[in-house]
Amino acid sequence: AGPGDLAGKRIVISAGGTREPLDPVRFLGNRSSGKQGVALAEAAAARGASVVLVAANLEVPAPKNVDVRLASSAADLERAMLLAAPDADVIIMAAAVADYGPAEVRPEKIKKDDTGDTLVLTLVRNPDILAGLAAARKPGQVVIGFAAETETDPALLLELGRDKAARKGCDFLVLNRVGWSEGFASERNAVTVLDSHGDIVIEASGSKMSVAGRILDLLS
Ligand code: C5P
């Protein structure tokens, strides 16, 4: 681990949270700030990697020295990832991607006068971008996923992570607890990284930059 140890590696990182449009002025979103993904991009570039950052509605500035591609919805993010993935040695899906999106995007603003006191939205499952990238990965390509969970029981949290690692088919899964005040908006993070067998390979806590460094040590 250290300066230049990722030189020559091409790393594609998604960060932030997707917004699923409902109408021209509204969206369904999540509270991901993008801080952990941006810290990964910054740390990887500092260690010599060439970094593509697929940025979904970041609340923090994108680092310099990275190739930023903007994406807003899950569909945008999927397009950007599929475009960048073939040239990547490493893919890191740190973005919080909406699991569901509106079945239809209304061309005009939804008006309460037309809808009344209750409004029912129909949502449909979005494709799992990470699972798709993992299934399509070329030999030697490393795919890293994230799992943000609100489970408070550490044993159950680990179990959720193990299930997800198996289901997604990625090489590593970064598991972290999120809640009203931890994880997404916070400056700090605490993660457990699992390998594809569900075995713990890293436990790290601290600033998002130091956690990023520990995750990138897997690649050096
Ligand atoms: O299933 P869950 O949303 O908890 O999985 C989280 C991981 O899967 C993250 O790496 C996230 O970027 C990715 N994901 C995805 N496409 C989705 C939902 C999540 O790539 N539709």
Side-chain angles (χ1 to χ4, degrees):
D5 68 338
L6 299 180
K9 287 222 191 295
R10 295 164 302 175
I11 306 187
V12 178
I13 301 171
S14 70
T18 65
R19 292 177 176 179
E20 307 306 293
L22 281 165
D23 70 16
V25 297
R26 302 189 181 93
F27 58 82
L28 292 174
N30 62 68
R31 297 178 56 239
S32 174
S33 62
K35 284 177 189 162
Q36 185 62 72
V38 164
L40 279 162
E42 191 174 343
R47 284 162 70 163
S50 95
V51 179
V52 171
L53 178 65
V54 176
N57 310 295
L58 300 182
E59 284 174 19
V60 289
K64 294 185 177 58
N65 311 325
V66 309
D67 173 3
V68 179
R69 319 241 174 117
L70 298 180
S72 186
S73 65
D76 296 340
L77 195 130
E78 181 176 39
R79 258 193 306 278
M81 291 306 294
L82 290 177
L83 194 67
D87 296 326
D89 300 306
V90 182
I91 296 171
I92 306 179
M93 278 294 294
V97 181
D99 290 323
Y100 294 86
E104 58 159 345
V105 182
R106 303 283 190 88
E108 305 285 346
K109 190 178 161 188
I110 301 167
K111 291 190 177 61
K112 52 188 169 300
D113 293 344
D114 301 338
T115 4
D117 286 342
T118 56
L119 168 60
V120 177
L121 294 172
T122 302
L123 306 179
V124 294
R125 267 292 268 279
N126 284 330
D128 192 316
I129 303 166
L130 172 61
L133 292 167
R137 76 171 163 297
K138 52 181 192 186
Q141 196 176 50
V142 177
V143 179
I144 303 180
F146 271 67
E149 302 291 349
T150 52
E151 176 58 57
T152 50
D153 179 320
L156 290 178
L157 179 64
L158 196 56
E159 206 172 300
L160 277 174
R162 291 194 164 125
D163 286 350
K164 198 159 286 188
R167 200 165 63 243
K168 301 273 185 176
C170 47
D171 299 293
F172 299 102
L173 187 81
V174 181
L175 178 63
N176 72 314
R177 229 190 73 76
V178 294
W180 294 106
S181 62
E182 52 187 326
F184 278 175
S186 166
E187 293 306 322
R188 297 172 63 78
N189 206 1
V191 304
T192 301
V193 183
L194 306 176
D195 66 13
S196 57
H197 310 292
D199 293 330
I200 296 175
V201 290
I202 296 175
E203 283 191 282
S205 64
S207 69
K208 288 186 171 175
M209 209 50 191
S210 79
V211 168
R214 294 287 306 282
I215 294 169
L216 295 175
D217 288 346
L218 288 167
L219 308 172
S220 66

